[in-house]
Amino acid sequence: EYMGKQNKMALWSGLGFGLCVIAAVMILLGFSTPYWVRPDQGHEVSTQLEKLGLWEICFKGYSDNRDGFGRLYNGCWWIFAREYDAIRKWLLPGWFSSTQALMTINVVLVLLAVVDGLMLLINCFPQKFTKWAALVETLILYVIGLFSAICLAYFGIHTETDRTWLKFPQYRHLDWSFYLSVIGAIFAFFSAMCFSVHYMQIRKQFHRSTAYRAHEMRYYPERTIINTPYLPGIDYQDSRNDRRVDEKRYDDDYDDRSEKSDGRYKYDDRRSDSRRYDDSRTRSERQNHDDYRSEKSDRRNYDDDYRSEKSERRHNDDRRSQRSNRKNHDDYRSEKSSRHHYDDDERSERRSHRDNRSDR
């Protein structure tokens, strides 16, 4: 079933690419050939026109009184040649210039569509970009068809109704270059539809996981065994034989289906192995990162402990120094007070001695 879906996807992409190539060839031929408008048979002299394309006009004795010179134009010239300078603003009205611009955009887009369709057909894109490449291809082809429909309808209407453009519009008709562009636009629409189906199939495939596809590829046959009670008059040997035949048929069928799905299981096993390897690598990287973070936090805690111990040691040293300073100060004060007492005693002794002498 999985290979059948792949073949259907390749079928739609191949069909879309073939239609895209046909559309590109027809649009390029219509864009480059000068057979968009031609006069009716027998009216070449009255219309003074031989053939006309998007980029080339062939006149046959054409004269226009609006140029102010009364000049006759003969032969085929590029539409932007200097010979048509005097009448270019009448040769190129707005609708004609719009058709030229849109057809130029269509040519660029159809070349891009061919390149993109070829890369889709030969699977040049990575798997995750295939869906977007198919979507871009579809949008490009729809835009080509839309631009072609607008410019061709505009050109076809004004060619037969604009009487200020060329003489006798009732005696000219649209020719095969115009119709080639129309057919190319139709093929572009059909190619866009094929690539739309291809895009939807890719999107549906991406929405299903590998486990779901493996579940779809497995075979779950129905195996029903009915346990009936013993009833008289029933040959249970035949029923047991029938049960053995059913079991053997079930086993053979299961073996055949398992052999057929070996390739699919191998593909799923490779996918699951690669995913398991990615998960294990992610787990190991996460474990290494967690180990690094724990080691960093341990180092930070050690630094904090060291700082706290150092600050505590410094605080203890400060307290010791304060105690020693206080003790020294107390000793100094006691020594000073003892000196004062000694001086006082000496003074009192001197005074008493002086008094004794005076009494004598």
Side-chain angles (χ1 to χ4, degrees):
E1 185 180 356
Y2 179 74
M3 297 302 294
K5 291 180 180 179
Q6 293 293 327
N7 293 333
K8 286 182 181 179
M9 290 172 61
L11 175 64
W12 283 110
S13 63
L15 182 60
F17 177 71
L19 294 175
C20 179
V21 170
I22 295 173
V25 171
M26 291 188 174
I27 288 175
L28 286 172
L29 285 176
F31 180 77
S32 58
T33 52
Y35 290 95
W36 282 60
V37 177
R38 292 191 71 182
D40 295 337
Q41 189 175 3
H43 292 280
E44 290 85 357
V45 177
S46 59
T47 57
Q48 300 174 356
L49 178 67
E50 188 175 349
K51 58 184 177 180
L52 180 143
L54 290 179
W55 310 104
E56 185 180 359
I57 301 179
C58 298
F59 286 125
K60 196 171 185 180
Y62 180 77
S63 63
D64 197 332
N65 55 4
R66 292 174 293 185
D67 63 351
F69 300 104
R71 182 179 175 183
L72 295 178
Y73 298 92
N74 289 291
C76 298
W77 296 91
W78 183 40
I79 203 166
F80 294 105
R82 295 186 61 185
E83 282 74 9
Y84 295 146
D85 286 345
I87 58 173
R88 182 171 293 114
K89 61 181 178 180
W90 296 291
L91 289 179
L92 295 177
W95 56 268
F96 196 92
S97 300
S98 302
T99 303
Q100 287 178 326
L102 289 177
M103 286 303 295
T104 305
I105 295 172
N106 282 342
V107 168
V108 176
L109 291 178
V110 80
L111 293 177
L112 291 176
V114 169
V115 174
D116 192 11
L118 180 61
M119 294 178 72
L120 276 172
L121 186 63
I122 61 180
N123 292 327
C124 286
F125 292 104
Q127 190 175 9
K128 61 181 179 180
F129 295 128
T130 305
K131 179 175 71 172
W132 304 113
L135 179 61
V136 169
E137 177 76 11
T138 305
L139 292 178
I140 287 174
L141 289 170
Y142 275 125
V143 169
I144 290 170
L146 180 63
F147 282 2
S148 298
I150 292 172
C151 70
L152 293 174
Y154 206 47
F155 184 87
I157 292 171
H158 284 81
T159 300
E160 298 182 357
T161 58
D162 191 357
R163 296 184 176 274
T164 62
W165 181 42
L166 294 175
K167 297 178 180 180
F168 301 108
Q170 68 273 19
Y171 296 139
R172 57 177 181 258
H173 62 274
L174 299 171
D175 209 9
W176 59 269
S177 296
F178 176 83
Y179 294 115
L180 273 182
S181 300
V182 173
I183 297 172
I186 295 172
F187 275 102
F189 267 118
F190 282 115
S191 178
M193 293 177 187
C194 293
F195 277 110
S196 298
V197 176
H198 181 62
Y199 167 72
M200 288 188 288
Q201 288 178 345
I202 293 174
R203 186 178 177 184
K204 186 177 180 181
Q205 181 186 9
F206 270 91
H207 281 184
R208 291 186 178 183
S209 63
T210 306
Y212 184 76
R213 290 203 300 271
H215 168 72
E216 279 188 339
M217 288 187 289
R218 290 193 183 95
Y219 174 62
Y220 300 96
E222 295 181 359
R223 186 177 180 182
T224 306
I225 298 175
I226 302 175
N227 295 321
T228 57
Y230 178 79
L231 295 175
I234 297 176
D235 191 0
Y236 286 95
Q237 186 68 30
D238 293 340
S239 62
R240 283 195 292 272
N241 292 334
D242 294 339
R243 185 178 300 173
R244 291 193 191 96
V245 170
D246 292 337
E247 291 177 356
K248 186 175 184 305
R249 189 180 298 121
Y250 161 76
D251 294 335
D252 294 340
D253 196 5
Y254 183 78
D255 293 338
D256 293 339
R257 288 182 177 271
S258 63
E259 289 176 0
K260 289 179 182 179
S261 60
D262 279 343
R264 303 172 191 171
Y265 290 145
K266 287 178 182 178
Y267 173 76
D268 290 335
D269 291 340
R270 286 198 297 271
R271 292 286 298 274
S272 62
D273 291 339
S274 63
R275 188 175 297 170
R276 197 177 301 114
Y277 171 72
D278 294 337
D279 294 340
S280 63
R281 186 174 62 182
T282 306
R283 284 196 296 270
S284 64
E285 290 176 356
R286 194 180 297 117
Q287 183 67 32
N288 293 332
H289 184 65
D290 293 339
D291 294 340
Y292 170 74
R293 292 184 65 183
S294 63
E295 183 180 357
K296 191 174 180 181
S297 65
D298 293 338
R299 196 180 302 128
R300 191 178 298 140
N301 294 331
Y302 175 76
D303 293 340
D304 293 338
D305 294 339
Y306 175 74
R307 290 193 191 95
S308 63
E309 184 179 357
K310 190 175 180 181
S311 64
E312 186 177 358
R313 195 182 302 132
R314 187 182 299 159
H315 182 65
N316 292 331
D317 293 340
D318 293 338
R319 291 181 65 182
R320 287 195 199 95
S321 64
Q322 288 177 3
R323 287 174 188 169
S324 63
N325 292 333
R326 193 178 298 116
K327 185 177 181 181
N328 293 332
H329 184 66
D330 293 339
D331 293 341
Y332 173 73
R333 291 184 65 182
S334 63
E335 184 179 359
K336 190 175 180 180
S337 64
S338 62
R339 282 178 188 171
H340 282 299
H341 287 305
Y342 177 76
D343 292 340
D344 291 339
D345 292 339
E346 188 176 0
R347 287 192 193 95
S348 62
E349 187 178 356
R350 285 178 182 178
R351 189 178 298 114
S352 64
H353 185 68
R354 191 182 302 118
D355 291 339
N356 291 331
R357 286 180 66 182
S358 65
D359 290 339
R360 285 177 191 173

